[in-house]
Amino acid sequence: MRWFAVGTIGRKQETEGSSELLAPPTPSSPLLPTPLKLAACVLLLITTACSPSKTESAQFVDSNKTSSVSSVATPKQTSTLRIGYVGSAEPTGSLGWAKKTGLLDRELQKLGFRDITYARFVNGPNLNESLVAGQVDVGFLGDTPAIVLRARGVETRLLRISQYNTTAWLVTKKNGPLSVADLKGKIVATQKGSYMHRYLLGLLDQKGLSKDVKVVHLLSTEAKPALERGDIAAYAASSDLGVFLKSQGFPIIDSSGDHPGLSGTSLVVATEKFLAQQPDFPQKLNALLTEATKDLKANSQEYYKYHAQVAKYPVEIIKTSFPLKQVSEEPFPTEGVKLVEGTKKFLVSQNLAKSDFQLADWIVKK
């Protein structure tokens, strides 16, 4: 299944081949409108200029150098743990804090991992491709791409809900639409396959606008220029980008926090093949992530400074967009599980997830 870059909400096309299972169109796709295509190409040129670098005992691979999964390094030793995550140049949240403090390296070395590689992805569907290709062992990504992948029968297990009630914002161009109803007949963009995409689809469904709004794929890095040019009427933005755009004078007309069940969760998944070789990994990982979560909450000012530096946003924007109460100290908080179940049901009902499955069967219970 592949979502069209431009089209009515829910419109999709069946394609064959794992490399195209879930990722939205690349910058070279003819499905992108020309202005957005040019912008995406610029982004690609920028990202391809980046070089991998080593941090402490870990290696970092920017998987966004190309749109191909072949850009992700394949470890030569079985003692290498390959982590994929969606986000900034360095991971944030409990994973990022565990990495920064050295907790991750120290504890995983006890499990026999001599090296850890980090592959950064700009969007969850791209991380999915690497999981399918067997180039990543563990993925930190949003609920929507993780569920869609599992619904296609790809053998993954859910290890943890690392964050829940993550807010998505609907930001409009200046002097643009004043309400969700005003979006009728207009173009709204978001990162397709993300939790923001699921929020946007759910919101338009609730408002009866599913057939009246054109939804297009656009990376978050291009949202501000597209709004400034008037290419799009609105953008469904992530928790930090939405707050940043508001600080730049762009109006916010809606948020997932106004609609129970539409906020996102961040999940940690691993391939069953990897877990078969590392049966104690879920328990060990959860123990260290819980320790990291408690530590970042106890040292919140230091953590926010780190997060802001990595995300390249002012500290106050990070404090607003990333309330620490959303970071779970337990693997499966009740409210987070409820959100994941609701997202799964919605995606299945919209035929955006290929099949239904039992959440209890997906969760690793140890």
Side-chain angles (χ1 to χ4, degrees):
M1 179 179 71
R2 178 178 178 178
W3 282 307
F4 278 96
V6 179
T8 304
I9 297 167
R11 188 180 177 190
K12 52 191 180 296
Q13 180 182 24
E14 291 289 333
T15 59
E16 298 295 329
S18 61
S19 66
E20 293 188 39
L21 282 179
L22 301 166
T26 65
S28 60
S29 171
L31 297 172
L32 283 171
T34 300
L36 302 185
K37 184 189 297 183
L38 292 174
C41 288
V42 171
L43 173 66
L44 182 59
L45 290 173
I46 293 173
T47 54
T48 52
C50 300
S51 298
S53 60
K54 291 186 177 181
T55 57
E56 300 176 347
S57 64
Q59 292 180 315
F60 190 94
V61 178
D62 190 339
S63 65
N64 307 300
K65 290 176 67 178
T66 72
S67 61
S68 169
V69 296
S70 63
S71 64
V72 180
T74 300
K76 297 179 180 179
Q77 302 175 356
T78 56
S79 60
T80 297
L81 174 64
R82 302 167 299 172
I83 295 176
Y85 71 95
V86 177
S88 306
E90 291 282 343
T92 56
S94 56
L95 173 65
W97 196 241
K99 179 176 182 290
K100 175 178 169 53
T101 59
L103 175 65
L104 192 68
D105 277 2
R106 185 170 65 249
E107 292 302 315
L108 291 181
Q109 282 177 359
K110 295 177 182 177
L111 283 176
F113 294 108
R114 286 180 292 181
D115 297 297
I116 305 172
T117 63
Y118 298 91
R120 182 181 74 89
F121 298 83
V122 295
N123 204 10
N126 302 99
L127 198 165
N128 278 348
E129 289 187 350
S130 280
L131 284 166
V132 170
Q135 295 174 321
V136 168
D137 302 312
V138 182
F140 289 69
L141 70 171
D143 48 17
T144 294
I147 290 170
V148 169
L149 186 66
R150 182 66 180 82
R152 291 193 65 85
V154 177
E155 295 180 338
T156 63
R157 298 296 298 275
L158 178 59
L159 308 187
R160 186 180 184 92
I161 298 172
S162 58
Q163 184 182 353
Y164 59 97
N165 274 332
T166 309
T167 304
W169 308 94
L170 190 57
V171 185
T172 68
K173 62 182 180 181
K174 296 175 182 177
N175 301 313
L178 301 176
S179 68
V180 178
D182 290 342
L183 296 175
K184 186 174 182 179
K186 295 184 171 58
I187 297 175
V188 179
T190 191
Q191 286 196 173
K192 284 199 170 184
S194 66
Y195 80 90
M196 300 86 76
H197 186 201
R198 179 268 185 272
Y199 152 69
L200 179 59
L201 295 179
L203 174 66
L204 295 177
D205 183 60
Q206 290 182 6
K207 299 292 184 180
L209 294 171
S210 295
K211 297 181 179 179
D212 300 311
V213 176
K214 185 176 290 185
V215 175
V216 301
H217 172 69
L218 185 67
L219 293 176
S220 60
T221 47
E222 291 303 312
K224 185 171 180 283
L227 288 168
E228 289 175 330
R229 290 191 301 265
D231 293 342
I232 55 177
Y235 188 83
S238 60
S239 57
D240 51 4
L241 178 62
V243 178
F244 170 73
L245 290 173
K246 182 180 179 182
S247 74
Q248 300 296 300
F250 293 93
I252 289 178
I253 60 171
D254 195 83
S255 86
S256 62
D258 299 329
H259 311 276
L262 292 190
S263 291
T265 57
S266 297
L267 307 184
V268 184
V269 302
T271 62
E272 291 192 7
K273 180 180 180 180
F274 168 74
L275 294 178
Q277 299 170 345
Q278 298 286 342
D280 295 332
F281 181 80
Q283 184 180 17
K284 298 294 185 183
L285 180 69
N286 276 322
L288 75 86
L289 290 179
T290 293
E291 182 177 345
T293 299
K294 291 179 178 178
D295 189 63
L296 73 84
K297 289 182 178 180
N299 300 279
S300 59
Q301 296 306 312
E302 186 179 354
Y303 171 76
Y304 275 129
K305 182 179 179 181
Y306 162 75
H307 190 143
Q309 184 178 27
V310 168
K312 302 187 184 307
Y313 286 126
V315 170
E316 292 307 315
I317 285 179
I318 298 301
K319 287 183 176 179
T320 301
S321 62
F322 191 77
L324 296 184
K325 65 181 180 181
Q326 294 180 350
V327 188
S328 176
E329 296 183 16
E330 57 180 310
F332 298 104
T334 301
E335 191 172 354
V337 171
K338 184 178 178 181
L339 280 169
V340 174
E341 179 66 33
T343 297
K344 178 175 69 72
K345 288 182 177 178
F346 176 81
L347 294 173
V348 171
S349 70
Q350 298 294 310
N351 294 321
L352 297 174
K354 190 173 183 180
S355 64
D356 200 0
F357 59 90
Q358 294 297 316
L359 192 59
D361 295 337
W362 193 30
I363 291 174
V364 173
K365 299 182 180 63
K366 62 178 182 179

